[in-house]
């Protein structure tokens, strides 16, 4: 079984081919990504209109390359999958329309993948994790703690009531004069900083529901920065270290509560899984590793290239759905919003 996957929901254009051998072993045959970071950097964030245009310019060439590198043809694929949302609608339309056209011409099933579901299922591709597991999905657009019980069976245990974690990293970086995207920059600065110099809040820590709130922390960093301005490079490093330490404490506290809730409602998790761009942060990974060991669980974190947006996770989610007999109508609409758990109460970030 072999599926072509296309991803265009944010600022990465990606196409990949993933297959599964008769013994069930998955294989990434190709995984092509073109990042638009340089196009958006002057604006300090993703500009939807620029993103959509950039996807249009490169998506067909990228699909061709993904097929070539996989040593396959469209005819040899069993289905074409694309992320149909949630995301920036202009970009979503580009990938979705491309996939529909390819599926129609090649007379293959078309699969509309939920981008969040693709992140959620990616540890099954990379680490063969069985259901159920607890997922912390943390990216620039999403922060969710999800009980993943099966393909299409997700219960959102917690989410952010304001900024996503990656977004908080990006905004903090911008405030401190660091380039976009801020996550890796803040992590690098934090390495030589003193995490205890500034007393920063740990929003929502200790609360019984595993939700997040990051905007107060970001504001606290801003107030400290204004108080001691002009900032030296040591000040920036200390603020980054303090911010990151606060995020780590919050992530660990919220995930611990989610684990408790998981055990009460969904049984024993097979693993703790972290995915999304923020999962590239080594300090956060180490803290989650300690938490998982404490709880007697395995921590699974896809390699960074499969944590950030990519085509392989879309192809994989498409494959998981295809082998369950699912496929979608060519009339499927793109969706700016598409919650993983339809029963979860809508929040600003659902
Ligand atoms: O999953 P992703 O590539 O795109 C989406 O947002 O869907 O995640 C990108 C986010 C950005 O906010 C970026 O700053 C953050 O992940 N990020 C990090 C690190 N690397 C990327 N945040 C903290 N530490 C990092 N090392
Ligand atoms: Zn993503």
């Amino acid at each position: 079984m072999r599926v072509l996957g296309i991803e265009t929901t944010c600022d990465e254009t990606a196409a990949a081919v993933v297959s599964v051998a008769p013994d069930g072993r998955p294989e990434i045959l190709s995984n092509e990504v073109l990042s638009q970071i340089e196009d958006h950097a002057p604006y300090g964030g993703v500009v939807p209109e620029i993103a959509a245009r950039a996807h249009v310019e490169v998506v067909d060439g990228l699909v061709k390359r993904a097929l070539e590198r996989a040593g396959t043809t469209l005819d040899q694929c069993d289905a074409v999958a694309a992320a149909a949302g949630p995301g920036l609608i202009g970009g979503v339309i580009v990938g979705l329309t491309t996939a529909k056209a390819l599926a129609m011409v090649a007379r293959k099933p078309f699969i509309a993948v939920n981008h969040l579901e693709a992140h959620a299922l990616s540890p099954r591709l990379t680490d063969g994790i069985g259901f159920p597991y607890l997922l912390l999905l943390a990216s620039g657009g999403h922060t969710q703690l999800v009980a993943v019980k099966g393909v299409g069976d997700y219960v959102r245990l917690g989410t952010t009531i304001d900024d996503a974690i990656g977004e908080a990293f990006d905004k903090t970086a911008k405030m401190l004069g660091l380039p976009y995207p801020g996550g890796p920059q803040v992590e690098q600065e934090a390495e030589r900083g003193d995490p205890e110099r500034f007393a920063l809040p740990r929003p929502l820590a200790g609360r019984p529901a595993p939700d997040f709130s990051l905007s107060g922390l970001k504001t606290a960093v801003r107030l400290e920065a204004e108080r001691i301005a002009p900032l030296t490079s040591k000040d920036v490093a200390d603020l980054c270290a303090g911010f990151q330490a606060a995020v780590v404490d919050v992530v660990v506290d919220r995930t611990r509560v989610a684990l408790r809730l998981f055990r009460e409602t969904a049984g024993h998790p097979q693993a703790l899984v972290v995915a999304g761009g923020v999962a590239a942060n080594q300090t956060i990974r180490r803290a989650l590793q300690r938490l998982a060991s404490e709880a007697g669980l395995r921590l699974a974190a896809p390699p960074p290239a499969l944590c950030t947006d990519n085509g392989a996770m879309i192809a994989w989610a498409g494959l998981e759905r295809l082998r369950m007999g699912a496929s979608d109508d060519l009339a499927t609409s793109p969706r700016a919003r598409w919650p993983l758990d339809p029963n979860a109460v809508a929040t600003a970030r659902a």
Side-chain angles (χ1 to χ4, degrees):
M1 223 178 218
R2 178 174 295 202
V3 174
L4 167 69
I6 301 174
E7 156 64 35
T8 55
T9 62
C10 191
D11 61 346
E12 257 111 20
T13 321
V17 181
V18 169
S19 73
V20 64
D23 65 0
R25 207 172 31 83
E27 196 180 350
I28 299 174
L29 300 180
S30 65
N31 193 20
E32 299 296 311
V33 183
L34 275 179
S35 171
Q36 304 172 0
I37 283 179
E38 280 174 18
D39 299 339
H40 301 288
Y43 307 95
V46 179
V47 182
E49 189 59 22
I50 293 177
R53 283 165 196 266
H55 288 306
V56 170
E57 277 165 25
V58 299
V59 71
D60 52 349
L62 207 65
V63 166
K64 194 157 168 261
R65 212 161 79 195
L67 289 168
E68 276 167 13
R69 295 245 161 113
T72 192
T73 62
L74 192 54
D75 267 342
Q76 291 169 329
C77 291
D78 296 288
V80 184
L88 302 171
I89 198 70
V92 177
I93 290 171
V94 174
L96 197 65
T97 310
T98 305
K100 285 177 182 175
L102 292 171
M104 191 160 74
V105 168
R107 298 176 190 278
K108 303 285 177 183
F110 157 73
I111 301 177
V113 169
N114 180 316
H115 176 93
L116 300 176
E117 177 170 41
H119 275 300
L121 297 175
S122 59
R124 291 170 52 73
L125 166 66
T126 57
D127 295 82
I129 304 291
F131 297 119
Y133 52 87
L134 177 65
L135 167 77
L136 168 64
L137 174 58
S139 70
H142 304 281
T143 298
Q144 307 197 349
L145 280 157
V146 181
V148 180
K149 294 159 69 170
V151 177
D153 189 2
Y154 312 99
V155 178
R156 195 186 75 193
L157 303 172
T159 188
T160 178
I161 56 176
D162 40 57
D163 291 350
I165 300 179
E167 186 180 6
F169 267 94
D170 294 339
K171 288 180 175 171
T172 299
K174 192 174 180 183
M175 205 156 71
L176 298 175
L178 301 169
Y180 172 85
Q185 303 285 334
V186 170
E187 179 174 24
Q188 205 183 328
E189 290 289 327
E191 261 168 44
R192 52 184 191 89
D194 171 6
E196 287 170 12
R197 176 170 158 205
F198 299 99
L200 296 169
R202 269 61 175 162
L204 300 190
R207 297 286 181 92
D211 289 321
F212 292 82
S213 169
L214 278 312
S215 79
L217 172 60
K218 180 189 66 191
T219 305
V221 174
R222 180 171 57 75
L223 293 175
E224 290 291 352
E226 284 169 5
R227 189 174 60 79
I228 59 168
L231 301 179
T232 65
S233 101
K234 175 80 175 92
D235 293 335
V236 170
D238 291 346
L239 284 165
C240 286
F243 167 80
Q244 184 172 272
V247 171
V248 167
D249 284 352
V250 168
V251 164
V252 168
D253 177 83
R254 308 288 66 207
T255 308
R256 184 179 283 124
V257 171
L259 263 178
R260 199 181 307 142
L261 210 62
F262 188 111
R263 289 204 161 104
E264 284 166 15
T265 56
H268 183 70
Q270 298 295 311
L272 169 61
V273 166
V274 56
V278 177
N281 186 293
Q282 294 302 321
T283 313
I284 294 177
R285 272 190 193 225
R286 277 196 300 272
L288 288 171
Q289 179 62 64
R290 280 193 297 275
L291 175 66
S293 307
E294 231 175 70
L297 292 177
R298 167 174 179 197
L299 176 76
L306 295 171
C307 271
T308 52
D309 291 348
N310 64 87
M313 70 178 189
I314 305 296
W316 173 251
L319 200 152
E320 290 243 49
R321 299 209 27 233
L322 183 72
R323 66 183 177 188
M324 288 176 69
S327 69
D328 293 290
D329 197 278
L330 288 176
T332 304
S333 299
R335 298 177 66 171
R337 283 175 172 266
W338 187 359
L340 250 192
D341 174 358
N343 297 317
V345 179
T347 70
R349 292 284 161 190

